[in-house]
């Protein structure tokens, strides 16, 4: 397996985690070692790995759960020696130091890394370490979703926060966020001000 960095990005509900799970499953079925890390910032499923679409790690019959870490905690020292693919979910929540750790894994330890996360926050600003991860990526997967307002297929590239709050990080699901195309997002954010 060639050591490389793949970054999956896009708005919420666009399938980033589903793609991460697909890659993890394929790697596992190829008898290669996989280890997943998810930040403790996302407190919705600390005991298992679940996508917004409801895909549960147990349903994939992969015999391990993700390693939950603090976003600022170095994780590379926790990677088992038999790992070929390191998967990071919700990569936008990790500290900027995650970029150097990932580059070390690829260049020195010869491991591939798959990082999935929001490239922009609900205000359309670059989110966490994602811009740097995208710059270093060997492969970029930019996902889109169905716009929650105009229902345009594959048009949603933005994430809109439905329920207020000014903090950049506010973990939530469908009751809190919706994927929107750019025109609908502009209308929604203009109305919210």
């Amino acid at each position: 397996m060639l050591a490389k960095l793949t970054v999956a990005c896009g708005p919420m509900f666009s399938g980033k985690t589903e793609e991460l799970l697909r890659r993890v499953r394929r790697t596992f079925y190829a008898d290669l070692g996989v280890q997943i890390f998810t930040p403790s910032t996302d407190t919705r499923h600390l005991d298992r790995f679940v996508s917004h679409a409801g895909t549960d790690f147990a349903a994939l019959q992969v015999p391990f759960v993700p390693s939950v870490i603090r976003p600022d905690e170095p994780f590379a020292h926790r990677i088992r020696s038999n790992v070929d693919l390191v998967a990071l979910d919700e990569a936008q929540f990790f500290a900027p130091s995650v970029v150097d750790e990932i580059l070390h894994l690829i260049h020195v330890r010869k491991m591939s890394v798959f990082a999935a996360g929001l490239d922009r926050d609900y205000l359309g600003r670059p989110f966490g370490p994602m811009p740097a991860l995208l710059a270093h990526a060997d492969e970029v997967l930019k996902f889109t979703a169905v716009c929650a307002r105009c229902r345009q297929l594959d048009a949603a590239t933005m994430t809109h926060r439905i329920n207020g709050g000014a903090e950049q990080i506010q973990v939530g699901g469908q009751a809190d966020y919706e994927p929107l195309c750019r025109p609908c997002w502009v209308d929604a954010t203009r109305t919210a001000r």
Side-chain angles (χ1 to χ4, degrees):
M1 178 178 216
L2 177 66
K4 67 177 188 174
L5 170 59
T6 301
V7 178
C9 64
M12 290 184 70
F13 315 112
S14 62
K16 301 178 300 297
T17 301
E18 293 293 317
E19 179 63 16
L20 181 144
L21 291 171
R22 188 183 76 80
R23 300 266 179 130
V24 165
R25 185 181 326 132
R26 288 170 48 105
T27 304
F28 177 75
Y29 291 150
D31 288 329
L32 298 171
V34 181
Q35 193 167 356
I36 298 175
F37 290 88
T38 186
S40 60
T41 308
D42 188 350
T43 57
R44 292 170 292 182
H45 307 287
L46 291 178
D47 59 338
R48 64 193 201 285
F49 192 77
V50 181
S51 74
H52 285 294
T55 303
D56 191 311
F57 223 42
L60 300 176
Q61 300 176 348
V62 178
F64 51 82
V65 296
S67 300
V68 178
I69 62 172
R70 291 187 331 269
D72 61 343
E73 176 186 351
F75 69 91
H77 70 280
R78 293 179 54 183
I79 297 173
R80 299 183 307 269
S81 61
N82 65 338
V83 168
D84 299 287
L85 175 68
V86 175
L88 302 177
D89 194 40
E90 303 292 355
Q92 74 276 2
F93 292 144
F94 285 90
S97 59
V98 74
V99 177
D100 289 334
E101 285 194 87
I102 288 172
L103 293 176
H104 175 80
L105 292 175
I106 294 166
H107 298 147
V108 177
R109 295 183 65 182
K110 307 299 184 206
M111 295 176 177
S112 287
V113 177
F114 187 98
L118 298 171
D119 51 338
R120 293 178 284 198
D121 67 10
Y122 74 104
L123 294 174
R125 301 173 301 196
F127 205 165
M130 291 299 288
L133 291 175
L134 288 164
H136 287 288
D138 298 295
E139 177 184 17
V140 174
L141 306 172
K142 181 82 171 183
F143 287 84
T144 58
V146 174
C147 179
R149 302 266 173 111
C150 71
R151 311 308 293 171
Q152 187 94 341
L153 183 64
D154 293 327
T157 59
M158 310 297 286
T159 299
H160 174 248
R161 183 181 291 168
I162 300 167
N163 298 319
E167 310 83 26
Q168 184 179 40
I169 297 175
Q170 183 177 314
V171 177
Q174 288 183 326
D176 306 296
Y177 293 96
E178 61 186 352
L180 297 179
C181 66
R182 190 175 297 274
C184 289
W185 178 82
V186 169
D187 288 343
T189 55
R190 186 181 312 128
T191 305
R193 291 180 190 163

